[in-house]
Amino acid sequence: MRYRISWISGTALLLSACAAGPDYRAPQGAALGLPAAYSQGASAPVGDADLASWWTRLNDPALSGLIDRAIANNLDIVQAQARLRQARESLRQANATFLPQISGSGSGGKNYRSQAGGTRVDDNGNVISTGASKWSSTYSLGANASWQIDLFGELSRTAEAARADLAASGYDLANVRMTIISELATNYIQARLAQEQLRIARESQRVQKDNFDIASWRLQAGLVSSLDEQQARAQLAQTSATIPQIEASLKGSLNRIAVLTGQAPGDATRALETPAPIPVASTQIATGIPADTLRQRPDVRSAERALAAATARIGVAQAQLYPSLGISGNIATTSNAFSDLFSLITGGVFANVAQTIFDGGRLQSQVRSQKAATDAAFAAYKQSVLTALEDVENAMAQLTSARARKAEFAVAYDASNNAAILARSQYQAGLTDFQTLLTSESTLLNARNSLASAQSDEVLAIAQLYNALGGGWQSMDDRPNEQ
């Protein structure tokens, strides 16, 4: 019997090496449509160290502190971490199917038996039953074991899919972290832009209040008509009207920052209400080559792992077309007395082979269905790659545009500031009309706001570029493991 079991087990293990279904091979760059370089030109290689904490290159301690807090407390990250733990337990469950399943049972109790009989009368005239009744004890112990042999790789392919799902969940967590960092940086930059716009608006408001006072004085002196005063009044009111809108935008950004860091809006961002300058952008960013997106972008790697899982499940479906082999055994003992419980032990070992003969084509349909799912997973993977390349190209274009606009707006600001100073002095001296001053002040205000917006757009484009390159997750404590 011992040699028979060994022979069955050895044969089963040998057959299990021949897993059904295709062996997964990651698609190469040509199949994914990867170009050799980005359209904006070649760039220096970029490594994980450059991407891991890219926000520190902005040299803004407040932003770095907020990102550290978001990584620790953001609730979207907490949810993704929980999904990762679920995937890890699913892999453990899949691996457990390779081992025998053993269960045990035990029971004990008493049985009562009564046997009917006649009656008799004793010497005292009492009626006594002559039937028999008695109590008996019963004790039993038993154990059952079963083991499914992985003849055609159904279990190994299931475990392979579970490993890929676990890695995909890890990359999903990394993608959530990367997205949260980018969103937090965006809202922080927008908050600093709003503070700069508030400063510009309030400074312009003070200047325009002076212009209104001058126009009112000149009207009282009979030097101008009331047209100048009303134009100055209108300009002051229009500038004042922009302040509440900017304040609401600032409050919205601060509230979003609070939620991203896992806190209630309000006191959590009180320190950020103190104005600070827009972060200064780095002058040079390495973007690498398009093929780098395959390893840098966690969403791309998650899609690749999803393709690997779908491919493994083809083998699971195909293995169900073939015979299945299971080995089971049991051992038990029963006795009427506890002291004699192990006097007689019985048991057995059985092998069971099962093969579906007719199911109306259900199993074949499952194979075709899983192949279709794998085709869809490949398309999703390729789509994620192309989307990543699009994100990088768009971010580089936005950065180039923002830098060009910032340079031009700097010239425009300098020129409009000089023009406004001249117009203001000439109006005070009565050498020009108020319309000229009004036009120069409006041009200056627009130039200052445009320059501030271009400065923030440059930093936002850098944040978007690092996000497109897949930066922000490389330093995770629990990085995905594809093994």
Side-chain angles (χ1 to χ4, degrees), residues 265-328:
D267 292 339
T269 55
R270 196 72 66 196
L272 295 179
E273 294 179 2
T274 302
I278 299 171
V280 179
S282 174
T283 57
Q284 184 63 35
I285 300 176
T287 56
I289 59 175
D292 291 338
T293 59
L294 300 184
R295 65 175 182 84
Q296 292 169 352
R297 287 274 295 239
D299 56 336
V300 172
R301 297 182 74 166
S302 175
E304 187 273 332
R305 289 290 84 200
L307 173 60
T311 303
R313 290 190 175 98
I314 295 177
V316 175
Q318 287 185 345
Q320 294 175 355
L321 296 171
Y322 308 127
S324 63
L325 172 63
I327 297 176
S328 61

Side-chain angles (χ1 to χ4, degrees), residues 198-443:
L198 278 175
R199 185 183 69 84
I200 293 171
R202 286 168 178 156
E203 288 181 358
S204 298
Q205 188 183 44
R206 286 193 295 270
V207 172
Q208 291 167 5
K209 179 64 170 59
D210 290 340
N211 292 341
F212 175 71
D213 292 339
I214 294 171
S216 298
W217 174 81
R218 289 173 63 82
L219 174 63
Q220 292 174 2
L223 300 176
V224 296
S225 69
S226 60
L227 177 62
D228 286 9
E229 182 186 45
Q230 294 304 312
Q231 286 179 328
R233 180 185 174 197
Q235 183 189 49
L236 177 59
Q238 288 175 350
T239 300
S240 299
T242 62
I243 292 178
Q245 182 178 7
I246 299 173
E247 289 175 336
S249 175
L250 172 60
K251 193 63 177 176
S253 295
L254 294 179
N255 290 341
R256 187 61 190 151
I257 289 172
V259 173
L260 288 171
T261 54
Q263 302 173 89
D267 292 339
T269 55
R270 196 72 66 196
L272 295 179
E273 294 179 2
T274 302
I278 299 171
V280 179
S282 174
T283 57
Q284 184 63 35
I285 300 176
T287 56
I289 59 175
D292 291 338
T293 59
L294 300 184
R295 65 175 182 84
Q296 292 169 352
R297 287 274 295 239
D299 56 336
V300 172
R301 297 182 74 166
S302 175
E304 187 273 332
R305 289 290 84 200
L307 173 60
T311 303
R313 290 190 175 98
I314 295 177
V316 175
Q318 287 185 345
Q320 294 175 355
L321 296 171
Y322 308 127
S324 63
L325 172 63
I327 297 176
S328 61
N330 62 75
I331 186 171
T333 179
T334 303
S335 176
N336 292 332
F338 187 79
S339 59
D340 297 331
L341 185 60
F342 297 101
S343 298
L344 177 63
I345 299 176
T346 60
V349 177
F350 309 93
N352 176 62
V353 178
Q355 170 66 58
T356 300
I357 297 176
F358 178 76
D359 64 354
R362 178 179 61 86
L363 295 179
Q364 288 285 1
S365 177
Q366 288 178 351
V367 174
R368 293 192 298 270
S369 175
Q370 190 54 51
K371 288 181 178 179
T374 303
D375 292 339
F378 172 75
Y381 176 41
K382 185 175 181 178
Q383 178 71 18
S384 69
V385 172
L386 298 180
T387 300
L389 299 179
E390 178 189 17
D391 291 343
V392 175
E393 294 280 5
N394 289 343
M396 288 193 294
Q398 291 292 335
L399 180 57
T400 301
S401 172
R403 285 175 170 169
R405 287 186 291 110
K406 187 180 76 168
E408 296 299 329
F409 282 132
V411 175
Y413 167 68
D414 183 64
S416 59
N417 186 51
N418 293 334
I421 292 173
L422 291 172
R424 194 175 303 115
S425 62
Q426 289 178 356
Y427 179 73
Q428 290 173 349
L431 300 177
T432 189
D433 58 9
F434 188 76
Q435 184 60 45
T436 301
L437 176 59
L438 182 68
T439 301
S440 64
E441 293 286 358
S442 297
T443 302

Side-chain angles (χ1 to χ4, degrees), residues 86-103:
Q86 283 183 296
R88 187 174 291 118
E89 296 305 322
S90 295
L91 176 58
R92 290 193 176 103
Q93 295 166 24
N95 288 334
T97 60
F98 288 97
L99 303 175
Q101 308 298 305
I102 302 173
S103 62

Side-chain angles (χ1 to χ4, degrees), residues 118-130:
T119 60
R120 65 181 179 84
V121 180
D122 62 9
D123 296 339
N124 297 322
N126 297 319
V127 178
I128 301 174
S129 173
T130 59

